Amino acid sequence: MPTRKRGDLPCANHPGLAPQVEAASCVTRCISSGPGKGASLIKLVGVNKHFGPHHVLKDINLEVPMGQKLVVIGPSGGGKSTLIRCINMLERPNSGHVVVDGVDLMAHRAPVAKIRQSVSMVFQQFNLYPHKTVLENITLAPIVVQGLPREKATESALTYLDRVGLRDKADQYPAQLSGGQQQRVAIARALNMHPKVMLFDEPTSALDPEMIQEVLDVIIGLANTGITMIVVTHEMGFAKEAADRVIFLDDGNIIEDGTPEHFFENPSQDRTKLFLSKILR
Ligand SMILES: Nc1ncnc2c1ncn2[C@@H]1O[C@H](COP(=O)(O)OP(=O)(O)O)[C@@H](O)[C@H]1O
Ligand SMILES: [Mg+2]
């Protein structure tokens, strides 16, 4: 698959438009009509992010269809974390549009808090509350933020703890668990918000090597449920196994965008080849 260039693809939401019509020019139409069948769940249009003089995201255009498993790869400092943090507005871009589930989060008075509930994020550091039990960690946000009755939040928390293989740890505290187990709890916590999208920012980078696979296995299991996922990772085996699509982000630009086969076997950019030659030694 060739690398996508700006300007040569129509908007995926409105394929009836002439091919020369760039996706970016369709944003008003997309925002007003929202995502339909087969539409993008996430759509970034002309997104720029600066930290002071540092231009960290450079005119990013990206559409993620519902159900896609997108892996983001790239060198440290290339903007990967900033990119996914912009999707739930943990970072606000300086310009552009971030459309999630048909809502432009950059619009005046956009319901950011509401949309954020459907975009769960799992961080490198698990960020569990140390003074709360596993079950309390998982039920806190559904009860406090979503207003769910405790019994309902507990019922689904136990289902997700089952899914990550930790139901027997419900009453333990994070410090009693290994790093891998804590990250699996963090995944169950994210799932218990019943999100439409799961964002993972290097979910295994802080783990001892022997714990990486147990967390990847949980994420792979999740991928098989059909949920939309964006995963920043350096785990190339995972990318090959679980991704539908890989993008390579370097210095704030998406410089490669395609299937895992394209990315690993036939990347079009020298920069990608150089990066792969370093990490796939
Ligand atoms: N809150 C911030 N304030 C200032 N600079 C930041 C901030 N967050 C990230 N950066 C800078 O933006 C660049 C991209 O960072 P990041 O998105 O974390 O990259 P990656 O996740 O690919 O390693 C880096 O140079 C980083 O130092
Ligand atoms: Mg990062």
Side-chain angles (χ1 to χ4, degrees), residues 6-179:
R6 286 189 65 202
D8 62 4
L9 278 179
C11 172
N13 287 354
H14 297 96
L17 290 178
Q20 308 87 286
V21 175
E22 192 182 327
S25 67
C26 196
V27 68
T28 310
R29 190 186 304 230
C30 286
I31 291 165
S32 59
S33 61
K37 195 163 178 288
S40 300
L41 187 55
I42 297 167
K43 188 175 169 88
L44 306 190
V45 184
V47 166
N48 285 280
K49 178 67 184 175
H50 300 258
F51 288 114
H54 194 168
H55 195 177
V56 174
L57 295 179
K58 300 173 179 168
D59 197 25
I60 296 288
N61 294 291
L62 177 68
E63 289 187 43
V64 182
M66 219 167 279
Q68 188 164 76
K69 322 298 164 210
L70 172 66
V71 163
V72 182
I73 289 175
S76 178
K80 304 180 300 296
S81 294
T82 306
L83 176 72
I84 63 167
R85 289 167 67 86
C86 282
I87 292 171
N88 64 358
M89 291 279 136
L90 283 177
E91 297 289 354
R92 189 176 170 85
N94 297 96
S95 62
H97 297 274
V98 177
V99 184
V100 177
D101 206 14
V103 176
D104 184 2
L105 300 179
M106 294 289 283
H108 183 56
R109 293 191 171 176
V112 172
K114 181 164 181 284
I115 293 295
R116 200 179 267 158
Q117 289 178 34
S118 59
V119 186
S120 279
M121 185 145 170
V122 174
F123 301 88
Q124 188 174 337
Q125 303 295 343
F126 334 120
N127 298 342
L128 299 174
Y129 291 111
H131 57 290
K132 292 192 182 295
T133 65
V134 163
L135 188 62
E136 286 165 350
N137 264 283
I138 300 179
T139 53
L140 186 70
I143 293 170
V144 174
V145 180
Q146 294 181 328
L148 222 62
R150 181 173 302 277
E151 312 74 66
K152 276 218 170 323
T154 300
E155 193 185 316
S156 63
L158 292 174
T159 308
Y160 288 123
L161 271 178
D162 248 347
R163 183 177 294 173
V164 303
L166 292 173
R167 192 177 176 126
D168 58 330
K169 306 289 186 196
D171 296 324
Q172 299 208 355
Y173 287 86
Q176 296 173 284
L177 306 181
S178 71

Side-chain angles (χ1 to χ4, degrees), residues 138-272:
I138 300 179
T139 53
L140 186 70
I143 293 170
V144 174
V145 180
Q146 294 181 328
L148 222 62
R150 181 173 302 277
E151 312 74 66
K152 276 218 170 323
T154 300
E155 193 185 316
S156 63
L158 292 174
T159 308
Y160 288 123
L161 271 178
D162 248 347
R163 183 177 294 173
V164 303
L166 292 173
R167 192 177 176 126
D168 58 330
K169 306 289 186 196
D171 296 324
Q172 299 208 355
Y173 287 86
Q176 296 173 284
L177 306 181
S178 71
Q181 289 171 332
Q182 288 185 54
Q183 189 61 304
R184 284 151 64 194
V185 170
I187 293 170
R189 177 180 58 178
L191 287 170
N192 207 29
M193 295 295 281
H194 306 290
K196 290 191 175 165
V197 186
M198 289 279 286
L199 307 176
F200 292 88
D201 193 0
E202 299 199 31
T204 58
S205 298
L207 297 175
D208 291 337
E210 72 270 21
M211 295 173 188
I212 290 176
Q213 198 55 47
E214 70 186 50
V215 172
L216 291 179
D217 285 344
V218 165
I219 302 174
I220 289 167
L222 200 55
N224 292 333
T225 67
I227 193 169
T228 309
M229 258 188 204
I230 304 181
V231 187
V232 176
T233 185
H234 296 294
E235 296 293 333
M236 298 299 143
F238 169 81
K240 285 180 185 169
E241 183 175 349
D244 304 321
R245 176 184 179 192
V246 178
I247 62 173
F248 182 64
L249 190 67
D250 185 30
D251 195 23
N253 295 294
I254 295 173
I255 66 166
E256 196 91 40
D257 182 351
T259 61
E261 294 73 35
H262 162 79
F263 185 80
F264 291 107
E265 286 160 30
N266 191 26
S268 58
Q269 302 297 311
D270 289 342
R271 183 68 193 84
T272 318

